[in-house]
Amino acid sequence: MTIDEASRRYNIPLEMLREYERWGLCKAVKKVMGSWQYDDTDLERLGLIMTLHDIGFASSEIETYMKLLLEKEGSEDQRLRILDQKRRILLGEIHSCEKRLSHLDYLRYNIRKNQDKKQTV
């Protein structure tokens, strides 16, 4: 499958596919008639890259994670530390959003309470 076909079929931006190639993560990908040919393994890796991106990983973090995955046997502990750190960050963001939501709900409650008072008068 060519880069254009992979991009269209799996809705992966071309920029991400090109970055994947630049990182050297597609060593097993064969070059045929001037274009990369992706196999199922490459597409699985791209799926993981997309997942990491969706989680909020920066490109440099994705590159580090993927190189650990592909180049270092026994890198599970390192990758788990990276995921744990990202999880802590996301939990902090969730907590912050919940706090803001609570403030927003409080303001909405006050407005409705005042509206109810005006209607009963």
Side-chain angles (χ1 to χ4, degrees), residues 33-92:
M33 295 175 57
S35 64
W36 292 101
Q37 295 294 312
Y38 294 89
D39 63 16
D40 290 341
T41 301
D42 296 307
L43 295 172
E44 283 179 34
R45 290 179 189 150
L46 287 169
L48 176 56
I49 289 170
M50 297 280 296
T51 297
L52 294 172
H53 182 268
D54 290 345
I55 290 171
F57 276 64
S59 289
S60 60
E61 293 171 318
I62 295 172
E63 181 178 9
T64 299
Y65 186 91
M66 292 304 295
K67 285 186 176 179
L68 284 170
L69 174 69
L70 298 174
E71 297 175 359
K72 293 190 178 182
E73 282 189 35
S75 68
E76 292 86 359
D77 287 341
Q78 285 177 281
R79 287 184 285 129
L80 194 54
R81 276 194 298 276
I82 291 169
L83 294 173
D84 286 345
Q85 179 184 15
K86 188 57 75 173
R87 187 175 192 280
R88 282 190 299 277
I89 291 168
L90 286 173
L91 284 172

